[in-house]
Amino acid sequence: MTHSTARTVLACFSAGLNAVLGGSVFMFGILAKPIGTSFHFSQAQLSSIALAGVAGQYPLALVVGKFLDTRGPRPCSAIAALLFGFAFAWCSWEVHVAGSLDHHSNGIVFVRMVLAFLIAGIATVFSCFSAIFSASIALPSIPGFAFGLYMSLFGLSPLFLSLFPPLFTKRDELQLSPFFAFLAILLACSHAIGAFLLPSLPSAKIEAQEEIRDTLHQPVSVLLKDHAFWILFCEMVMANIGSIVYSLSSTPSFTMQPDVASRQVGIISVSNTASRVIMGVLIDLFFRRRHLSGRVLFLTFAATISAVVSLLMVVGEKPESSEEVWPLSLAIGVAYGTIFTTL
């Protein structure tokens, strides 16, 4: 194995590590109930924390894209390491001191948790972009395959990370403080490794990077006027299944299973990844034949699936157990992957 081949293999491995660990904010479904129990947060507060981590990714996407073009993926991975480490260490500390706080401090703690997850959301942007661009640089002959592969790994991130909470569970209760500390160390170390192993920015941009850069460098006003941005934003808002299930647990006839959050996150993750792969192949066929109207067809399919299942959950037979929420998780995963791939 030559030196350049070894560097490519290490770069691809490090990019894959960033991708499969970078989606930590999307596993909030597992964290919703223990966070709500620890801080006595309301459903609205839990949803706000979740959305801070998810929606907080978009405002800085333009800035991160420009920074990536000028500095390369290594500094992006280093920044992600610092932000992930700080955000989850902050969460661990908040949970650790929660027992010593009086009830009147609830509002202040809520604001701090929102800020912590907002920082984690910003770190997610740096992490995801560093992985995708690294794949395009390391594998310039197959940029489309590289993009699809690492986006699939990123989609599987919540499923992979959901394997760790059982290690920090005692008597069916997730020990939040140690788990947040574990996330801080794991994500900080993995992304710090990427600061050394990811490829440096080449002097000549590959065509795939140019296309992504042109998209990211549009003015904010143009982005806000793009209907696709708001479709994607609304689609991300739907990925809050943990809070939905947690809110249903207050219904007297609703039975809450102890490990349901992990299963729902897993269903969303797998269906999201599968739909990305399937729709990616179909979209490639449409693009090669210039049938751009196929995008509308795919978006309509995703919106219809999500709307029908959500409507059935409201007007149909009400779920009496957390096990019966899986159709909603499946629909969210399919809609998530389809819309993300189409846009």
Side-chain angles (χ1 to χ4, degrees):
M1 182 181 293
T2 63
H3 181 266
S4 60
T5 303
R7 288 288 305 173
T8 300
V9 171
L10 290 175
C12 290
F13 171 77
S14 181
L17 197 61
N18 280 10
V20 81
L21 295 177
S24 54
V25 294
F26 296 103
M27 61 177 300
F28 187 81
I30 299 175
L31 307 175
K33 184 177 181 180
I35 289 178
T37 302
S38 298
F39 298 107
H40 306 289
F41 286 156
S42 65
Q43 175 60 39
Q45 289 175 314
L46 287 173
S47 297
S48 298
I49 295 173
L51 296 182
V54 176
Q57 301 171 39
Y58 296 100
L60 285 183
L62 302 173
V63 178
V64 176
K66 185 173 183 179
F67 180 84
L68 188 61
D69 281 334
T70 57
R71 300 294 183 178
R74 288 183 178 180
C76 283
S77 188
I79 293 174
L82 293 174
L83 294 179
F84 272 133
F86 175 76
F88 289 122
W90 188 1
C91 291
S92 177
W93 178 81
E94 290 288 355
V95 176
H96 180 70
V97 302
S100 61
L101 298 176
D102 56 45
H103 186 69
H104 298 289
S105 302
N106 178 281
I108 300 175
V109 175
F110 163 68
V111 173
R112 294 202 294 255
M113 289 295 289
V114 168
L115 291 176
F117 270 82
L118 179 64
I119 294 172
I122 296 172
T124 303
V125 180
F126 281 99
S127 174
C128 182
F129 279 26
S130 68
I132 295 173
F133 275 71
S134 294
S136 299
I137 295 172
L139 304 171
S141 60
I142 48 173
F145 171 79
F147 178 85
L149 174 63
Y150 284 89
M151 284 307 299
S152 296
L153 288 176
F154 183 75
L156 286 172
S157 180
L159 176 62
F160 177 76
L161 291 173
S162 68
L163 300 176
F164 295 106
L167 302 178
F168 297 87
T169 300
K170 294 181 180 179
R171 298 177 182 177
D172 293 333
E173 290 186 4
L174 177 62
Q175 306 299 304
L176 271 182
S177 184
F179 181 65
F180 275 133
F182 167 76
L183 283 181
I185 296 172
L186 176 65
L187 272 63
C189 291
S190 63
H191 287 81
I193 292 173
F196 297 96
L197 296 184
L198 293 181
S200 56
L201 189 68
S203 55
K205 307 277 187 187
I206 62 175
E207 183 178 349
Q209 282 183 286
E210 291 283 355
E211 184 177 342
I212 296 176
R213 183 192 65 186
D214 293 340
T215 301
L216 292 175
H217 285 182
Q218 297 181 53
V220 176
S221 58
V222 175
L223 181 68
L224 295 179
K225 292 177 182 178
D226 187 356
H227 68 279
F229 173 83
W230 293 109
I231 292 175
L232 183 58
F233 177 83
C234 294
E235 174 268 331
M236 296 289 282
V237 171
M238 291 192 301
N240 195 11
I241 189 65
S243 297
I244 294 173
V245 176
Y246 183 46
S247 66
L248 289 173
S249 63
S250 60
T251 304
S253 61
F254 190 84
T255 304
M256 187 73 173
Q257 303 296 331
D259 57 346
V260 64
S262 296
R263 283 198 292 272
Q264 302 308 320
V265 170
I267 291 172
I268 291 177
S269 183
V270 172
S271 58
N272 165 34
T273 303
S275 62
R276 290 189 188 193
V277 174
I278 295 172
M279 292 301 171
V281 174
L282 295 176
I283 288 172
D284 280 342
L285 294 176
F286 276 109
F287 285 166
R288 280 201 292 268
R289 294 170 185 161
R290 300 185 180 277
H291 290 174
L292 299 182
S293 59
R295 286 193 176 200
V296 178
L297 176 64
F298 294 137
L299 289 174
T300 303
F301 167 77
T304 302
I305 290 292
S306 178
V308 169
V309 174
S310 299
L311 185 63
L312 289 176
M313 295 290 291
V314 174
V315 302
E317 185 177 350
K318 301 295 188 297
E320 297 183 355
S321 170
S322 54
E323 295 284 353
E324 299 177 10
V325 187
W326 68 265
L328 181 60
S329 300
L330 182 63
I332 289 176
V334 171
Y336 181 99
T338 301
I339 295 177
F340 198 101
T341 304
T342 303
L343 296 181

